[in-house]
């Protein structure tokens, strides 16, 4: 039932990759729908390859006119609905945000991504006014280095983490072979062969930590306990 939208108007910020990682992790436990509203349809292309779990339904969105119905149908059917949005601010993005129980804002630790993330946060606040309801959101750092961060990366992430008005995931999605490889190989990270991809154990730990944190946030939101999201 919860609807989780991935939004950042900056291209390449990691929306599609993190949305698919979360969808795979959730689908290992409960039926999940992933709505592919990225106009290049990378998730639909992924789903056409072998290895998509049966518990993961992919819905291909082609128009802003149908997105609200697609979200409603998926939410009535499955315990989790994830929406991967395009890399530009659009009416489709607003529609999806207006239906979301949680908006995840993926960003690289780079200035352009940071500015776009702030734009999305402003957009979410406008959508909250328009819909007169709270829309929880949280920033997710993506493509980050698992080892030592650069000074710039540390500076940018600190600006968000030190701001108590902006909720940030503790978990970061690290830059990993496995996360790029799933789009060319197909299937899930859990189903990959360790002979083909480096660092699978760490990749799986990273996905599981993200799944657990999303679930914890959704519980807190449901119980009205989330602190900083609005
Ligand atoms: N955690 C990661 N590890 C390795 N590669 C990654 C990771 N996240 C993203 N990438 C790579 O970076 C590129 C952009 O990522 P992605 O497509 O997820 O971004 P996006 O925000 O969906 O972009 P767009 O706005 O164009 O839809 C892709 O080539 C993807 O494979
Ligand atoms: Mg994308």
């Amino acid at each position: 039932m919860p609807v989780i939208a991935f939004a950042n108007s900056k291209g390449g910020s990691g929306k599609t990759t993190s949305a698919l990682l979360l969808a795979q992790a959730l689908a290992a436990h409960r039926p999940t729908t992933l709505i592919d509203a990225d106009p290049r349809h990378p998730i639909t292309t992924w789903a056409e390859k072998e290895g998509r779990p049966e518990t993961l339904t992919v819905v291909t969105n082609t128009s802003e006119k149908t997105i609200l119905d697609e979200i409603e149908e998926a939410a009535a059917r499955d315990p989790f609905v994830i929406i991967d949005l395009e890399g530009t601010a659009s009416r489709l993005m607003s529609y999806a945000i207006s239906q979301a129980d949680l908006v995840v804002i993926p960003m690289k630790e780079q200035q352009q991504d940071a500015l776009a993330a702030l734009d999305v946060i402003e957009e979410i606040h406008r959508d909250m006014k328009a819909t007169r309801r709270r829309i929880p959101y949280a920033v997710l750092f993506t493509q980050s280095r698992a080892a030592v961060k650069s000074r710039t990366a540390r500076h940018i992430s600190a600006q968000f983490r030190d701001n108590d008005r902006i909720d940030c995931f503790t978990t970061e999605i690290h830059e990993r072979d496995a996360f790029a490889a799933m789009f060319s190989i197909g299937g899930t990270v859990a189903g990959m062969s360790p002979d083909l991809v480096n660092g699978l154990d760490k990749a799986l730990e990273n996905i599981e930590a993200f799944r657990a944190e999303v679930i914890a946030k959704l519980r807190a939101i449901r119980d009205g306990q989330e602190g900083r999201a609005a």
Side-chain angles (χ1 to χ4, degrees), residues 12 14-17 38 40 42 84-87:
K15 297 176 286 295
T16 299
T17 305
D38 178 335
R40 284 175 303 119
D84 178 32
L85 288 163
E86 61 190 329

Side-chain angles (χ1 to χ4, degrees), residues 11-17 38 40 87 143 173-176 179-180:
S13 53
K15 297 176 286 295
T16 299
T17 305
D38 178 335
R40 284 175 303 119
Q143 297 157 76
I173 303 293
H174 294 132
E175 177 97 46
R176 296 221 167 261
F179 299 162

Side-chain angles (χ1 to χ4, degrees), residues 149-229:
K149 285 184 194 295
S150 72
R151 187 189 277 251
T152 313
R154 270 186 282 134
H155 177 70
I156 289 178
S157 58
Q159 282 181 333
F160 281 80
R161 292 202 184 279
D162 296 347
N163 182 338
D164 16 299
R165 290 173 52 97
I166 301 178
D167 190 19
C168 296
F169 280 93
T170 309
T171 311
E172 300 179 0
I173 303 293
H174 294 132
E175 177 97 46
R176 296 221 167 261
D177 270 1
F179 299 162
M182 70 187 170
F183 289 98
S184 49
I185 304 175
T188 62
V189 174
M192 283 179 191
S193 153
D195 302 336
L196 287 180
V197 187
N198 291 329
L200 261 189
D201 285 359
K202 294 276 181 216
L204 288 168
E205 273 172 32
N206 196 182
I207 304 171
E208 178 51 27
F210 181 38
R211 185 193 71 84
E213 205 178 349
V214 167
I215 297 288
K217 276 198 196 301
L218 290 171
R219 288 214 173 109
I221 291 162
R222 185 196 59 195
D223 299 342
Q225 286 167 355
E226 99 275 30
R228 299 190 291 179

